[in-house]
Amino acid sequence: MNAKRDDAPDANNTSPTTPLPSLGVIGRLRTYFLTGVLVSAPLAITFGLAWWFIEFVDGSVMPLIPAKYNPEIYLPEAYQSYGIPGFGLLVIVIAITLVGWLTTNFAGRALIKVYERILGRIPAVRSIYGAIKQILETVLANQSNAFRQAVLIEYPRRGMWAIGFITGETKGEVQNLTEDQVINVFLPTTPNPTSGFLLFVPKRDVVVLDMTVEEAIKMVMSGGIVTPVDRRPKDLQEKPVVSARTYEDLDVLREKENAPILVTRHEVASDSPDSTQSTNGASADKTENA
């Protein structure tokens, strides 16, 4: 089984390489303009989103502050219409920190148990609250390994690959029903990586990537426009690791026999022509008998 790279040089092609034409004045100006867009657009979008978020928080929090505790009333009259940008966000950060500090003592923990008991008696609310709490505890915990490793999986069909994130090892009924050892892989969607699919992938079929989670998320969000640099050694870059023909004979056999489960990998035919021909012949005989 040999995988052929698409970017490998063709030894049979001996024709000289045609030099690229030089850019004219219009082409250079267009290049400069696109370069300026690439530099200024991320800054403008980031600043705009940050300013919108600050104004949204300030507009929601500042009306709740009593007038005598509102520092905007002590500003000069000419500046009161501008307010203090970010003060509402600062109040939110301080309030959340105080809540975290209160929940570390005995009284705070007792109060949490009381309102969790109350929420647990509300049918619709208890399911939403429990799911959100479990997700946040998994993602934000210091000991958690969730979303800490980017992987490459074959999806949605053979020969097509997608980037996913390991969220943990599969346990319980799903693992007990599966012959292989599987792991939980979150497959994000483009351009919104917060939505996606939960896949239970055999551990042997997962290819761990050297790129960081942040680099993988950028690649997913940009639709492949932002591609991280391969930092592996040169000899590893030139050696393919995955191939779509690994279990092709087994998949053909499964489809012909209509047996998508409980087919061990030990039955995979080798890549030799004789074994492939015998496997196809046996599958054809079984199909004709059926």
Side-chain angles (χ1 to χ4, degrees), residues 188-247:
T189 56
T190 302
N192 181 17
T194 59
S195 63
F197 308 94
L198 173 61
L199 305 178
F200 303 102
V201 185
K203 190 174 182 179
R204 67 179 69 186
D205 294 338
V206 174
V207 181
V208 179
L209 298 176
D210 288 340
M211 68 175 66
T212 63
V213 174
E214 290 76 11
E215 292 174 342
I217 291 178
K218 291 178 182 179
M219 189 174 183
V220 172
M221 293 181 63
S222 65
I225 297 177
V226 179
T227 303
V229 180
D230 192 352
R231 294 184 292 268
R232 297 179 303 161
K234 188 66 176 179
D235 55 342
L236 295 179
Q237 296 181 17
E238 298 176 352
K239 182 179 179 181
V241 177
V242 296
S243 174
R245 296 180 56 86
T246 305
Y247 301 111

Side-chain angles (χ1 to χ4, degrees), residues 115-123 125-126 129:
Y115 84 77
E116 284 185 347
R117 190 179 298 111
I118 296 174
L119 293 177
R121 296 183 178 181
I122 305 176
V125 177
R126 65 185 177 187
Y129 174 77

Side-chain angles (χ1 to χ4, degrees), residues 271-283:
D271 290 336
S272 60
D274 297 337
S275 61
T276 304
Q277 185 177 1
S278 61
T279 303
N280 294 335
S283 302

Side-chain angles (χ1 to χ4, degrees), residues 147-195:
F147 299 96
R148 298 298 177 89
Q149 203 168 24
V151 295
L152 189 68
I153 60 175
E154 200 166 8
Y155 184 91
R157 66 167 178 84
R158 184 168 302 281
M160 299 180 66
W161 305 92
I163 292 180
F165 302 97
I166 295 179
T167 60
E169 294 185 358
T170 306
K171 299 179 181 179
E173 183 179 2
V174 176
Q175 177 60 71
N176 296 334
L177 292 175
T178 307
E179 182 182 13
D180 295 325
Q181 182 182 0
V182 294
I183 58 177
N184 303 335
V185 176
F186 176 74
L187 182 66
T189 56
T190 302
N192 181 17
T194 59
S195 63

Side-chain angles (χ1 to χ4, degrees), residues 26-195:
I26 302 300
R28 292 181 180 178
L29 292 178
R30 182 171 61 251
T31 302
Y32 296 154
F33 175 78
L34 293 178
T35 304
V37 171
L38 292 176
V39 173
S40 59
L43 295 175
I45 295 175
T46 303
F47 179 78
L49 291 177
W51 186 259
W52 171 83
F53 179 74
I54 291 175
E55 287 186 342
F56 174 77
V57 175
D58 289 345
S60 302
V61 175
M62 296 303 292
L64 303 178
I65 302 177
K68 61 180 179 180
Y69 298 111
N70 193 336
E72 294 182 356
I73 63 174
Y74 300 102
L75 294 175
E77 185 176 356
Y79 296 96
Q80 288 186 2
S81 59
Y82 297 98
I84 304 178
F87 184 78
L89 182 61
L90 179 62
V91 172
I92 288 293
V93 172
I94 295 176
I96 294 176
T97 305
L98 289 177
V99 171
W101 174 73
L102 291 175
T103 54
T104 56
N105 53 42
F106 177 77
R109 289 193 295 268
L111 183 62
I112 291 177
K113 291 181 180 179
V114 171
Y115 84 77
E116 284 185 347
R117 190 179 298 111
I118 296 174
L119 293 177
R121 296 183 178 181
I122 305 176
V125 177
R126 65 185 177 187
S127 301
I128 300 175
Y129 174 77
I132 294 176
K133 181 180 179 182
Q134 186 176 5
I135 293 174
L136 290 178
E137 287 179 350
T138 302
V139 175
L140 299 180
N142 294 330
Q143 296 82 9
S144 175
N145 292 324
F147 299 96
R148 298 298 177 89
Q149 203 168 24
V151 295
L152 189 68
I153 60 175
E154 200 166 8
Y155 184 91
R157 66 167 178 84
R158 184 168 302 281
M160 299 180 66
W161 305 92
I163 292 180
F165 302 97
I166 295 179
T167 60
E169 294 185 358
T170 306
K171 299 179 181 179
E173 183 179 2
V174 176
Q175 177 60 71
N176 296 334
L177 292 175
T178 307
E179 182 182 13
D180 295 325
Q181 182 182 0
V182 294
I183 58 177
N184 303 335
V185 176
F186 176 74
L187 182 66
T189 56
T190 302
N192 181 17
T194 59
S195 63

